[in-house]
């Protein structure tokens, strides 16, 4: 057996290891041969012995290292989980009331927003009804008092115009508010999705 045969067998026997481990082992033995020189090649091969046994030893050492690293990682994760549980238990007296208050504020804010929308539309409907009533009173009072009838009809038409304008503005405002809420929720969900992917 010569140097190249020794290295070839060693590389073949280490084939199941990660490439960087194979490269490191082969590089070590290549340097060992280089330091001894070509005239001592046979002596080095005799000293090192069977490359298969060397490969078995390298594989065993690699597995021991890997198991040790996995054990340390598992221990770290376990300690981390315990810390999170302790933090959760310690912060519960503060975090639960804060969470309840935040939920209550969110519900109250939603209720206020809904009540504002309902009251605006109720005011518009009331104004339209009042304007129609004024027009009706004006039409009825034409035979009795023409000038008063014209005033009522004009006021009713003006009330209808103002109510229509307010109603249109209310609808536009409601659409924009709903659109802004939907965009905010989508952004939040996208951000959460990105954070999960990063994890």
């Amino acid at each position: 057996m010569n140097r190249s045969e020794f290295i070839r067998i060693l590389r073949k026997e280490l084939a199941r290891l990660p490439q960087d481990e194979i490269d490191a082992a082969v590089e070590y033995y290549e340097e060992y041969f280089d330091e001894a020189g070509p005239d001592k090649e046979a002596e080095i091969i005799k000293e090192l012995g069977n490359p298969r046994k060397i490969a078995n030893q390298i594989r065993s050492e690699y597995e021991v290292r890997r198991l040790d690293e996995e054990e340390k990682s598992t221990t770290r994760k376990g300690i981390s989980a315990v810390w999170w549980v302790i933090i959760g238990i310690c912060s519960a007296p503060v975090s639960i009331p804060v969470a309840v208050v935040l939920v209550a504020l969110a519900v109250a804010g939603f209720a206020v927003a809904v009540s504002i929308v309902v009251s605006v539309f109720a005011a518009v409907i009331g104004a339209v009804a009042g304007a129609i009533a004024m027009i009706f009173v004006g039409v009825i009072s034409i035979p009795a008092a023409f000038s008063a009838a014209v005033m009522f009809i004009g006021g009713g038409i003006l009330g209808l115009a103002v109510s229509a304008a307010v109603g249109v503005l209310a609808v536009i405002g409601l659409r924009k508010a709903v659109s802004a809420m939907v965009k905010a929720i989508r952004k939040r969900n996208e951000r959460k999705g990105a954070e999960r992917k990063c994890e």
Side-chain angles (χ1 to χ4, degrees):
M1 182 186 297
N2 59 19
R3 171 180 173 167
S4 59
E5 184 69 13
F6 181 94
I7 296 296
R8 187 187 65 76
I9 293 169
L10 181 66
R11 192 180 283 279
K12 182 184 173 187
E13 292 296 318
L14 296 174
R16 292 183 183 176
L17 291 182
Q19 191 60 45
D20 58 332
E21 293 286 331
I22 297 169
D23 292 341
V26 169
E27 187 179 337
Y28 172 80
Y29 285 100
E30 290 275 14
E31 284 177 8
Y32 198 79
F33 277 108
D34 288 341
E35 285 174 14
D39 52 327
K40 292 189 178 180
E41 189 176 296
E43 192 181 319
I44 294 295
I45 289 170
K46 190 176 179 182
E47 181 190 319
L48 291 173
N50 191 335
R52 289 181 178 85
K53 285 184 181 177
I54 293 171
N56 284 339
Q57 186 180 349
I58 292 169
R59 283 198 304 265
S60 299
E61 287 171 3
Y62 171 75
E63 287 301 321
V64 168
R65 266 198 337 261
R66 191 176 62 80
L67 289 171
D68 189 42
E69 285 170 9
E70 281 181 9
E71 191 177 311
K72 283 179 184 174
S73 174
T74 306
T75 305
R76 276 193 221 110
K77 284 178 184 174
I79 291 169
S80 177
V82 168
W83 273 113
W84 280 113
V85 168
I86 291 169
I87 289 167
I89 290 168
C90 293
S91 67
V94 175
S95 59
I96 291 173
V98 168
V100 170
V101 168
L102 289 174
V103 169
L105 284 172
V107 170
F110 181 74
V112 167
V114 169
S115 63
I116 288 170
V117 170
V118 169
S119 62
V120 166
F121 282 104
V124 169
I125 291 167
V128 168
I132 291 169
M134 281 181 73
I135 292 169
F136 182 72
V137 168
V139 169
I140 291 173
S141 61
I142 286 175
F146 184 76
S147 59
V150 170
M151 188 184 73
F152 274 108
I153 292 170
I157 292 170
L158 180 64
L160 279 177
V162 170
S163 300
V166 171
V168 168
L169 289 174
V171 168
I172 290 170
L174 182 62
R175 278 186 182 171
K176 285 192 176 179
V178 169
S179 176
M181 283 173 60
V182 168
K183 281 181 184 175
I185 291 167
R186 278 185 187 161
K187 279 185 183 176
R188 190 170 139 247
N189 290 342
E190 285 171 6
R191 216 177 302 125
K192 280 188 177 179
E195 285 171 7
R196 283 176 193 157
K197 283 180 185 175
C198 288
E199 288 172 6

